[in-house]
Amino acid sequence: MSCISIGDFRTEAGATLSDAHIAYHRFGHFLGDPHGGNNVILVEHALTGNADVAEWWCDLIGPGKALDTTKWCVIAMNALGGCNGSTGPSSPHADGRSWGSRFPALSIRDLVAAEKKALEELGITRVHAIIGGSMGGARTLEWTLMYPEAVDAACVIAVSARASAWQIGIQSAQISAIERDPFWHGGDYYSSSQRPREGLAAARRIAHLTYRGEQEIDERFGVQAQTGEEPLGPYRRHDQRFAVNSYLDYQGSKLADHFDAGSYVTLTEALNRHDIGRGRGGLNRALGSSQVPTMVVGVDTDILYPYHQQEHLSRNLGNLLAMAKVVSPVGHDAFLTESRQMDRILRNFLTLSQPHPLDVDSMIDYAI
Amino acid sequence: MSCISIGDFRTEAGATLSDAHIAYHRFGHFLGDPHGGNNVILVEHALTGNADVAEWWCDLIGPGKALDTTKWCVIAMNALGGCNGSTGPSSPHADGRSWGSRFPALSIRDLVAAEKKALEELGITRVHAIIGGSMGGARTLEWTLMYPEAVDAACVIAVSARASAWQIGIQSAQISAIERDPFWHGGDYYSSSQRPREGLAAARRIAHLTYRGEQEIDERFGVQAQTGEEPLGPYRRHDQRFAVNSYLDYQGSKLADHFDAGSYVTLTEALNRHDIGRGRGGLNRALGSSQVPTMVVGVDTDILYPYHQQEHLSRNLGNLLAMAKVVSPVGHDAFLTESRQMDRILRNFLTLSQPHPLDVDSMIDYAI
């Protein structure tokens, strides 16, 4: 992982983040822009993801895989506001303490603007494609509207044109779960010995139920008791659980081990503010104005970003490249777990995105 | 409202609740059992409902309405564990303090057993019909399996044969929201000056998002700001909200004003334990054994009890009377809000449930 400075960053809402940095990973080699196009693919991670895309999308990125790193230069950046290398609430402020509550609210557009600046710092002014799911899909979509001249094609996965009221509600319930943790301290807990672990775990348990299809969870767990526990005893007890609650406890605890609650709140709030239509004459006018060839992908059982939201995108986007449905009981997370379907989708996307395929052998390796 | 003692109550899991009481409402007159059938309809309320069914189902219960109280004797009981007249965690224990954490875990079967006992105390050994939605539907379904000889027909609305793992997960998230309130005190807050209001409100905000269809909520609120507030400012602030969050705050606060957190936890836990198949050879065997003519009703946009769960009931019930789908953007709550459709459904149910309609004029009014 590398890190690059993007200097002082002014947010969409008018706050300033001084001395911001963006962390990134690169896989494969940048071959320059010899013919008005290049071999860069930007992959955008989801809410609690990170820039190590070859790890969490390991079936899809690498030599010979759908995003073939012997041909493509795959770049991924940790979102601004995150906790995996880029500047976020846990990062040191100029005064030496963490930003904490002084960290401004970010929009999806802010995350994208920071990425654009970071790419420019790397000497890359355009990319062949941007691909992302969930929060990564929201950023991908904003890229096509903010910097259409810099993107040849986009693949927008499991997301909507704006936050729905239901999403804002359930995401705000997660923020509330963190804020109600006594160790949250209004976001300024970094200098104390305790972190708001329980709040973050509670947020994740709620979130996870929106990431998974209800029939898939039910087929796996049903009303089973966790092994060795008795959830049907005469009094309700925390250590006597249904199997599904043990599973959700594990998911919550795992996230609390490796993610920062402040970043979780910041990026969740950015999802609340996701709205392609803002300042662009409304949703469908904004989508209609898009000129970047865009493929839209959805999951049939997605609770969080139901498939009708991707149908809405496909009906209204100005330059629809293709539409694909992942069929899976898994729900929203299927774009991470259904590797065979995603492999086919990403290969098709790259084929459709190249009317004149790159001749890699004639290109020069530019070190970045 | 009246209240009746059912004495000491032993729960399914083996705890004892001493000196339990059940509160009930009656509308219309009981005309006895002259011909092996009678004119009693038991209406079962949902989680935070109460026995005043003519209030919350006012379009459906009353003179000339679907449940015509000039003909039928409509009885409704507050669930055991509740806080609207029946014995619950807030009720006084023999030692004068509230039950609090000493209140045992209840199952849906416990709620039904308590109702049966209360009806017997009223001198009623059978009913013509039982009707209920959501938690009321779960109780109705258990009635048909626990006391089939006492029920001529049942109408089971917006519920499933057992809790799904997803339901257990999201319901447990609500319990967790309450337990994490610093004023919860393990359930023993009744003697303190503060109640776990915030926790109960947080639970309700989550629950409400499962009671409403996501498209209905989105059509009403979208990404609108609450009037006079600016949710897109440079820093996230609690008093600068999206309209949907103001709406959810209102729902949470309203419940916290009139409902007890201990009862909320107890009844939510009863829903977690809902399982028709327990001790009966599994789900489908239990359903197949049912002999009570049962009508199943679902809502097409229900997130909490998706329609496929009612289809499962209808496929497997031993004596299916009819199946009806409420078509509405409202989601789960449609059985409370779509009065015109519910009117038609309940009228049809009563017609189908009476191969030989009652001749009310020939019957005698028994005071109860």
Side-chain angles (χ1 to χ4, degrees):
Chain A
M1 189 179 74
S2 308
C3 199
I4 197 158
S5 169
I6 59 168
D8 293 351
F9 183 86
R10 188 155 177 87
T11 69
E12 184 187 357
T16 297
L17 196 54
S18 55
D19 190 25
H21 288 70
I22 294 292
Y24 68 98
H25 270 273
R26 182 178 56 82
F27 308 89
H29 299 284
F30 177 50
L31 302 176
D33 295 272
H35 311 292
N38 68 19
N39 74 328
V40 175
I41 297 176
L42 187 64
V43 176
E44 302 278 36
H45 68 73
L47 177 65
T48 59
N50 57 54
D52 191 2
V53 292
E55 186 262 321
W56 54 262
W57 242 4
C58 58
D59 291 332
L60 299 170
I61 299 177
K65 296 178 182 170
L67 305 190
D68 186 345
T69 49
T70 66
K71 179 177 180 186
W72 298 102
C73 175
V74 173
I75 297 177
M77 304 196 196
N78 183 223
L80 186 67
C83 55
N84 287 296
S86 293
T87 302
S90 62
S91 301
H93 184 270
D95 67 8
R97 295 185 295 118
S98 291
W99 278 87
S101 66
R102 298 173 295 181
F103 199 84
L106 300 179
S107 67
I108 297 295
R109 296 182 194 184
D110 289 326
L111 310 190
V112 170
E115 287 169 15
K116 181 69 164 68
K117 188 84 195 314
L119 265 190
E120 284 169 4
E121 293 292 330
L122 290 172
I124 298 173
T125 54
R126 59 180 300 119
V127 299
H128 175 68
I130 308 186
I131 301 171
S134 199
M135 190 184 85
R139 283 184 284 157
T140 302
L141 195 57
E142 275 292 356
W143 260 99
T144 66
L145 290 159
M146 293 172 71
Y147 309 111
E149 70 290 349
V151 188
D152 289 348
C155 185
V156 171
I157 305 166
V159 79
S160 56
R162 63 159 168 80
S164 74
W166 196 91
Q167 287 158 1
I168 293 172
I170 203 76
Q171 286 160 182
S172 298
Q174 295 164 43
I175 291 175
S176 169
I178 292 171
E179 290 179 330
R180 295 179 57 240
D181 191 303
F183 300 119
W184 169 248
H185 297 303
D188 293 314
Y189 57 87
Y190 297 100
S191 59
S192 69
S193 59
Q194 296 270 15
R195 295 167 54 220
R197 268 190 69 89
E198 287 306 310
L200 180 55
R204 177 64 178 205
R205 293 195 297 267
I206 298 168
H208 200 77
L209 290 165
T210 69
Y211 297 159
R212 291 282 161 161
E214 58 95 14
Q215 294 194 67
E216 186 242 6
I217 289 197
D218 195 52
E219 280 165 22
R220 288 169 66 187
F221 302 107
V223 291
Q224 290 168 47
Q226 177 64 9
T227 305
E229 302 182 21
E230 173 46 281
L232 301 174
Y235 295 86
R236 198 173 48 81
R237 284 178 47 180
H238 292 107
D239 55 357
Q240 305 294 320
R241 298 168 298 177
F242 290 99
V244 66
N245 283 336
S246 169
Y247 165 73
L248 293 170
D249 285 349
Y250 170 78
Q251 297 294 335
S253 179
K254 191 172 71 168
L255 187 77
D257 285 342
H258 79 79
F259 208 81
D260 174 56
S263 284
Y264 194 93
V265 168
T266 296
L267 296 179
T268 299
E269 173 67 15
L271 283 171
N272 282 352
R273 296 180 180 212
H274 172 48
D275 182 5
I276 286 294
R278 186 167 61 241
R280 294 176 182 140
L283 216 55
N284 292 347
R285 195 160 166 180
L287 289 172
S289 74
S290 170
Q291 292 308 309
V292 176
T294 300
M295 183 169 182
V296 176
V297 182
V299 182
D300 60 347
T301 55
D302 195 333
I303 294 172
L304 186 56
Y305 291 95
Y307 193 72
H308 67 82
Q309 296 178 345
Q310 290 89 57
E311 290 177 328
H312 170 259
L313 285 173
S314 73
R315 278 197 307 277
N316 291 286
L317 269 169
N319 193 347
L320 183 70
L321 190 63
M323 174 79 173
K325 181 191 281 188
V326 177
V327 176
S328 167
V330 166
H332 185 64
D333 272 356
F335 79 95
L336 298 169
T337 65
E338 296 287 358
S339 298
R340 287 178 60 173
Q341 292 182 67
M342 287 307 303
D343 176 90
R344 182 51 48 199
I345 286 167
L346 293 185
R347 287 181 194 273
N348 289 350
F349 165 67
L350 285 178
T351 299
L352 293 168
S353 74
Q354 301 173 83
H356 309 292
L358 286 181
D359 177 5
V360 173
D361 296 333
S362 72
M363 297 170 81
I364 301 159
D365 185 352
Y366 287 72
I368 55 171
Chain B
M1 190 179 74
S2 308
C3 199
I4 196 158
S5 168
I6 58 168
D8 293 352
F9 183 86
R10 187 154 177 88
T11 68
E12 184 187 357
T16 298
L17 196 55
S18 54
D19 191 27
H21 288 71
I22 294 292
Y24 69 97
H25 270 273
R26 181 177 57 81
F27 309 89
H29 299 285
F30 176 50
L31 302 176
D33 296 271
H35 310 293
N38 69 20
N39 75 328
V40 175
I41 296 176
L42 187 63
V43 175
E44 302 279 36
H45 68 73
L47 178 66
T48 59
N50 57 53
D52 192 2
V53 292
E55 186 263 321
W56 56 261
W57 241 4
C58 58
D59 291 331
L60 300 170
I61 299 176
K65 295 178 183 170
L67 305 189
D68 186 344
T69 49
T70 64
K71 180 178 179 185
W72 298 102
C73 174
V74 173
I75 297 177
M77 304 196 198
N78 183 223
L80 186 67
C83 54
N84 286 296
S86 294
T87 302
S90 62
S91 301
H93 183 271
D95 67 7
R97 295 185 296 116
S98 291
W99 278 87
S101 65
R102 298 173 294 181
F103 199 84
L106 300 179
S107 67
I108 297 295
R109 297 183 194 184
D110 289 327
L111 310 190
V112 170
E115 287 169 16
K116 180 71 164 66
K117 189 81 195 315
L119 266 191
E120 285 170 3
E121 293 291 330
L122 290 172
I124 298 174
T125 54
R126 61 181 300 120
V127 299
H128 174 69
I130 307 186
I131 301 171
S134 199
M135 190 184 85
R139 283 184 284 156
T140 302
L141 195 56
E142 276 292 356
W143 260 99
T144 65
L145 290 160
M146 293 172 72
Y147 309 110
E149 72 290 349
V151 188
D152 288 348
C155 185
V156 171
I157 306 165
V159 79
S160 55
R162 63 159 169 80
S164 75
W166 196 91
Q167 288 158 359
I168 292 173
I170 203 74
Q171 287 160 182
S172 298
Q174 296 163 43
I175 291 175
S176 169
I178 292 171
E179 291 179 328
R180 293 179 58 240
D181 191 303
F183 300 120
W184 168 248
H185 298 303
D188 292 313
Y189 56 88
Y190 298 100
S191 59
S192 70
S193 60
Q194 294 270 16
R195 294 168 54 220
R197 268 190 69 89
E198 286 306 310
L200 180 55
R204 177 63 178 205
R205 293 195 297 267
I206 297 168
H208 200 78
L209 290 165
T210 69
Y211 298 159
R212 291 281 160 162
E214 58 95 15
Q215 294 194 68
E216 185 242 7
I217 289 198
D218 196 52
E219 280 166 22
R220 287 168 68 185
F221 302 107
V223 291
Q224 290 168 46
Q226 177 63 8
T227 306
E229 302 182 21
E230 172 47 281
L232 301 174
Y235 296 86
R236 197 172 49 80
R237 284 178 48 181
H238 291 107
D239 55 356
Q240 304 294 319
R241 296 168 300 177
F242 290 99
V244 66
N245 283 337
S246 170
Y247 166 72
L248 292 171
D249 285 349
Y250 171 76
Q251 297 295 334
S253 179
K254 190 171 70 167
L255 188 76
D257 285 344
H258 79 79
F259 209 81
D260 174 57
S263 284
Y264 194 93
V265 168
T266 296
L267 296 179
T268 300
E269 173 69 14
L271 283 170
N272 283 351
R273 297 180 179 211
H274 173 47
D275 182 5
I276 286 294
R278 186 166 62 242
R280 294 177 182 139
L283 217 55
N284 292 349
R285 195 160 166 181
L287 289 172
S289 75
S290 170
Q291 292 309 309
V292 176
T294 301
M295 182 169 181
V296 176
V297 182
V299 182
D300 60 346
T301 56
D302 194 333
I303 294 171
L304 186 57
Y305 291 94
Y307 194 71
H308 66 81
Q309 296 178 345
Q310 290 90 56
E311 289 176 328
H312 170 259
L313 285 174
S314 72
R315 276 198 307 277
N316 292 286
L317 269 169
N319 194 348
L320 183 70
L321 189 64
M323 174 79 173
K325 182 191 280 188
V326 177
V327 176
S328 166
V330 165
H332 184 66
D333 272 356
F335 79 93
L336 298 169
T337 65
E338 296 288 357
S339 298
R340 287 178 59 172
Q341 292 181 66
M342 287 307 301
D343 175 89
R344 182 51 47 200
I345 286 168
L346 293 185
R347 286 182 195 273
N348 289 350
F349 165 67
L350 287 178
T351 300
L352 293 169
S353 73
Q354 301 172 83
H356 309 291
L358 286 180
D359 179 4
V360 174
D361 296 332
S362 72
M363 297 170 81
I364 302 158
D365 185 351
Y366 287 72
I368 56 170

